Amino acid sequence: MLDTKVAELLNEQINKEFYSAYLYLDFSNYFKDQGLEGFANWYWVQAQEERDHAVLFMQYLQNNGCKVTLEAIDKPDKVFASFGDPLKAGYEHEQYVTGLIHTIYEAANVVKDFRTMQFLDWFVKEQGEEENNAEGMIKKFDLFGSDPRALYMLDSELAARVYSAPSLVL
Ligand code: FEO
């Protein structure tokens, strides 16, 4: 059995990951409404990855004899004034999620729960990649977003993103 605090944080993270999926579906819907199908696709794929993350936390808890409690998912409440707004909100959200993962890691470290720390190693690395991706989106948009032809090309580039299952399998 896992330490109570560690198990509680892992269970909360399931909700955070499902919220992330919900948030990115909201971004995807926004871009779809705006006619930017590539951006919509990019966040659609991102939402699928977030759902995978939630499932991995669920499976980890179950594999360690813990009960999973699913909580209500908050409504995404962001209102966007420009195409760049979701990109910035996405980057900020990933920084927030990185903080959550680190908090669980710290809790596991306090009780010498090396198994959970090893499980979380994948997420620590994943968060680094996700922050890089989100920051990269902002940089590209800042460079090219104001030129309609460049924006069209950027949208086409983002349309090419395809979903692939996570490399971490429990
Ligand atoms: Fe599941 Fe984007 O972190």
Side-chain angles (χ1 to χ4, degrees), residues 1-2 10 16 21 27 31-32 38 45-46 51 77-78 82 84 91 100 109 134 140 144 146 167:
M1 282 291 281
L2 301 175
L10 288 167
K16 303 291 184 186
F27 290 9
F31 282 119
K32 190 128 187 135
V45 172
Q46 190 60 36
R51 182 257 177 206
D77 60 355
K78 300 240 183 300
S82 76
Y91 182 43
L100 296 174
N109 189 31
K140 280 187 182 175
F144 310 120
S146 58
S167 54

Side-chain angles (χ1 to χ4, degrees), residues 22 26 70 82 136 151-152 168:
Y22 226 42
D26 197 46
L70 295 179
S82 76
L151 180 63
Y152 178 80
L168 177 65

Side-chain angles (χ1 to χ4, degrees), residues 80-92:
F80 306 122
S82 76
F83 298 151
D85 285 353
L87 310 186
K88 292 190 191 90
Y91 182 43
E92 283 165 17

